[in-house]
Amino acid sequence: MKEHIIKEILSKEWKMFIDVQNKGGKALCQEDNKTFTIMRSSQFESLPINILESYFHDLAVAERQGRNLMTEKYARMMESTAPLEYEEIKNLLVEIDSESQKYIEEIIPIFLDWEKEFRLEYPFLSSISRPVFSSEDSLSSTSFETYLKAELSTYSSNTLLLYYNFIKKMIKNNINLSRQIQLNIITKYGYHSLQEANDSVKKKIAE
């Protein structure tokens, strides 16, 4: 059941993703379904089915409303990466309600702590990832913090509530969700452990 709903989510997301309009035409990543599938499925595999079902519902509702959640996500990133351009389009975005904003503001610091912890443990593997903080954003680089905030901003308040409650359980059980997602990713690239992947990147850097 979980595998099926992840496939359904990926199908809807990919359709939205390839329809995102960029200045200068399609980006190369919009032609790379393999990487898209690896990165997105690795995230979804770390979540319980109730969150996946709620997010799938968000995608279905957006489709019926003629909204592209991938377009909205990348547009919201521009608030930090391209603020002048963002000012020109922000009125086109759906306003985030106060309840959703509250959950977003609660979730982000938790993930930033997880991300910092993971990057201290696996510095070489982390070196090929996004920068962590929005203060490091530029036109050519979007941080983990900015990406996460934009992603969460596309979720409904119900999905955010479920997500927040799940994250609190992860904290209680001393589980780092960033670590789990990264493990899912490197496993799909053929590594057996995060340490193996970290050592592989270290070796390539040294060459």
Side-chain angles (χ1 to χ4, degrees):
M1 181 65 179
K2 184 173 177 178
E3 183 179 346
H4 173 73
I5 197 166
I6 288 174
K7 286 182 178 179
E8 292 295 311
I9 287 172
L10 290 174
S11 176
K12 288 187 180 297
E13 281 201 338
W14 178 250
K15 289 176 184 176
M16 291 183 179
F17 184 66
I18 60 177
D19 282 341
V20 174
Q21 300 298 310
N22 304 285
K23 285 188 175 181
K26 281 190 178 295
L28 289 176
C29 57
Q30 289 176 287
E31 300 175 0
D32 188 358
N33 180 262
K34 179 181 178 181
T35 300
F36 178 89
T37 299
I38 287 173
M39 302 304 288
R40 299 301 288 167
S41 64
S42 293
Q43 178 176 320
F44 298 136
E45 287 165 5
S46 69
L47 302 177
I49 196 165
N50 65 332
I51 297 177
L52 298 175
E53 289 174 337
S54 184
Y55 179 55
F56 178 77
H57 180 260
D58 295 346
L59 289 165
V61 169
E63 277 186 336
R64 291 196 295 271
Q65 295 175 341
R67 294 169 56 199
N68 184 328
L69 297 188
M70 300 297 107
T71 294
E72 293 181 18
K73 177 168 70 174
Y74 287 100
R76 291 190 185 278
M77 291 181 205
M78 292 169 61
E79 182 177 9
S80 181
T81 61
L84 294 180
E85 292 182 31
Y86 176 76
E87 285 297 316
E88 298 175 1
I89 64 167
K90 67 179 184 179
N91 63 309
L92 302 175
L93 298 171
V94 175
E95 186 176 353
I96 302 172
D97 62 76
S98 58
E99 184 179 17
S100 295
Q101 189 62 45
K102 180 187 70 173
Y103 292 131
I104 292 169
E105 291 173 0
E106 293 280 354
I107 291 169
I108 289 175
I110 296 169
F111 256 106
L112 289 179
D113 284 343
W114 279 337
E115 196 68 16
K116 287 187 290 184
E117 180 183 290
F118 171 79
R119 293 182 186 222
L120 283 173
E121 191 174 3
Y122 303 103
F124 295 100
L125 181 57
S126 300
S127 69
I128 58 175
S129 302
R130 300 173 182 274
V132 179
F133 301 106
S134 294
S135 59
E136 302 170 272
D137 285 338
S138 68
L139 281 172
S140 59
S141 179
T142 304
S143 66
F144 174 85
E145 181 180 6
T146 294
Y147 186 96
L148 176 62
K149 180 180 178 182
E151 167 115 354
L152 295 174
S153 297
T154 66
Y155 294 176
S156 67
S157 59
N158 182 68
T159 301
L160 285 168
L161 171 59
L162 295 173
Y163 200 65
Y164 176 58
N165 287 337
F166 171 66
I167 284 174
K168 286 196 295 183
K169 289 181 181 178
M170 295 298 98
I171 294 173
K172 184 177 180 180
N173 294 321
N174 197 30
I175 296 173
N176 182 325
L177 197 56
S178 283
R179 193 181 194 278
Q180 183 58 56
I181 293 169
Q182 289 299 324
L183 180 59
N184 291 343
I185 293 171
I186 62 100
T187 299
K188 290 176 172 60
Y189 282 107
Y191 296 103
H192 298 94
S193 69
L194 287 165
Q195 190 59 55
E196 180 187 355
N198 188 72
D199 292 343
S200 176
V201 175
K202 180 180 178 180
K203 182 179 178 181
K204 289 176 182 177
I205 291 173
E207 290 176 350

